Amino acid sequence: DTEVTQTPKHLVMGMTNKKSLKCEQHMGHRAMYWYKQKAKKPPELMFVYSYEKLSINESVPSRFSPECPNSSLLNLHLHALQPEDSALYLCASSQDRWNGGLFFGEGSRLTVL
Amino acid sequence: GIQVEQSPPDLILQEGANSTLRCNFSDSVNNLQWFHQNPWGQLINLFYIPSGTKQNGRLSATTVATERYSLLYISSSQTTDSGVYFCAGPGYSSASKIIFGSGTRLSIRP
């Protein structure tokens, strides 16, 4: 069983909708990540949170808005997405941003109509 | 930024065969990791191996940091080993900017 839990597993939304992806870890990790993965491509880093503060934003469009309410939770708020944003969104955590392997959730598969 | 190259891109094997997957990186990398992504999309951390050799059952990995490569060995392949294998690592310039290679797609036939 994965120790990083993502919800929902599947999400279909229209371009005018507002939705959120949620991620939770209970491993005491202090770094959390959002990755985006298109079919047959490797995961691409979007955001990194370290000790609940945003430390890396890989020039992600503002229609994606991350939030880290506490050390165990990471959200990704979605608004006015485009069909090309359809992808698998993966959350990961690590001991901290300098050490430790990445542990991934099962992902949220997003379809934008 | 750092470049991570994996080979071969695709590999088809019969059940029971052994295989070696390679990861080359363009610059010094610490905290190299190997992952297996199953057909349902789940990414499993196989090894966290900045240097040296580690073994876990039928899988083992070796990283030679000074020569900028890492190898993943899979012995006695099973159909459940199918999927995509990624290596990933951060550069020293940004430890948390973990970059993935393009992956090796492994298909194990019964």
Side-chain angles (χ1 to χ4, degrees):
Chain A
D1 290 338
T2 181
E3 295 188 74
V4 179
T5 305
Q6 289 188 242
T7 55
K9 288 188 168 38
H10 299 275
L11 178 63
V12 179
M13 60 186 291
M15 289 189 285
T16 59
N17 292 156
K18 286 185 180 180
K19 297 287 184 184
S20 297
L21 305 180
K22 297 184 183 302
C23 176
E24 187 170 9
Q25 59 90 11
H26 294 289
M27 293 181 282
H29 288 174
R30 303 314 300 267
M32 296 187 76
Y33 309 75
W34 280 114
Y35 279 83
K36 173 183 177 179
Q37 188 178 24
K38 301 284 276 185
K40 299 188 184 301
K41 296 290 186 182
E44 295 179 0
L45 182 64
M46 299 176 72
F47 302 104
V48 180
Y49 272 82
S50 177
Y51 290 84
E52 301 160 46
K53 297 206 182 307
L54 183 65
S55 62
I56 292 180
N57 176 342
E58 284 289 276
S59 302
V60 179
S62 59
R63 56 185 184 269
F64 295 91
S65 176
E67 178 196 19
C68 189
N70 60 55
S71 60
S72 300
L73 293 174
L74 186 66
N75 299 322
L76 186 63
H77 302 298
L78 314 171
H79 175 53
L81 294 193
Q82 304 297 310
E84 58 265 28
D85 296 321
S86 299
L88 180 66
Y89 288 84
L90 294 158
C91 173
S93 69
S94 65
Q95 182 181 334
D96 59 46
R97 61 181 282 196
W98 299 276
N99 297 292
L102 285 179
F103 291 85
F104 282 88
E106 294 181 353
S108 293
R109 196 166 295 278
L110 173 67
T111 301
V112 181
L113 300 177
Chain B
I2 186 174
Q3 304 295 317
V4 182
E5 294 184 357
Q6 291 187 244
S7 60
D10 296 279
L11 190 56
I12 301 174
L13 298 172
Q14 288 296 128
E15 201 168 21
N18 301 329
S19 60
T20 301
L21 282 56
R22 187 177 179 103
C23 175
N24 290 333
F25 29 95
S26 60
D27 201 350
S28 298
V29 171
N30 60 348
N31 304 340
L32 187 91
Q33 304 175 52
W34 282 97
F35 297 89
H36 174 221
Q37 188 165 39
N38 66 25
W40 297 272
Q42 172 77 52
L43 268 167
I44 305 296
N45 190 314
L46 299 175
F47 293 103
Y48 176 70
I49 184 167
S51 64
T53 297
K54 290 187 177 179
Q55 180 152 11
N56 184 0
R58 296 180 296 103
L59 274 61
S60 64
T62 295
T63 295
V64 184
T66 54
E67 298 187 23
R68 303 178 184 175
Y69 73 89
S70 183
L71 302 173
L72 178 69
Y73 306 96
I74 305 173
S75 64
S76 304
S77 299
Q78 300 176 0
T79 55
T80 51
D81 294 331
S82 296
V84 183
Y85 289 82
F86 291 104
C87 65
Y92 279 105
S93 60
S94 179
S96 53
K97 200 167 180 175
I98 296 172
I99 307 299
F100 280 72
S102 54
T104 292
R105 185 171 299 275
L106 178 64
S107 298
I108 304 298
R109 295 184 170 169

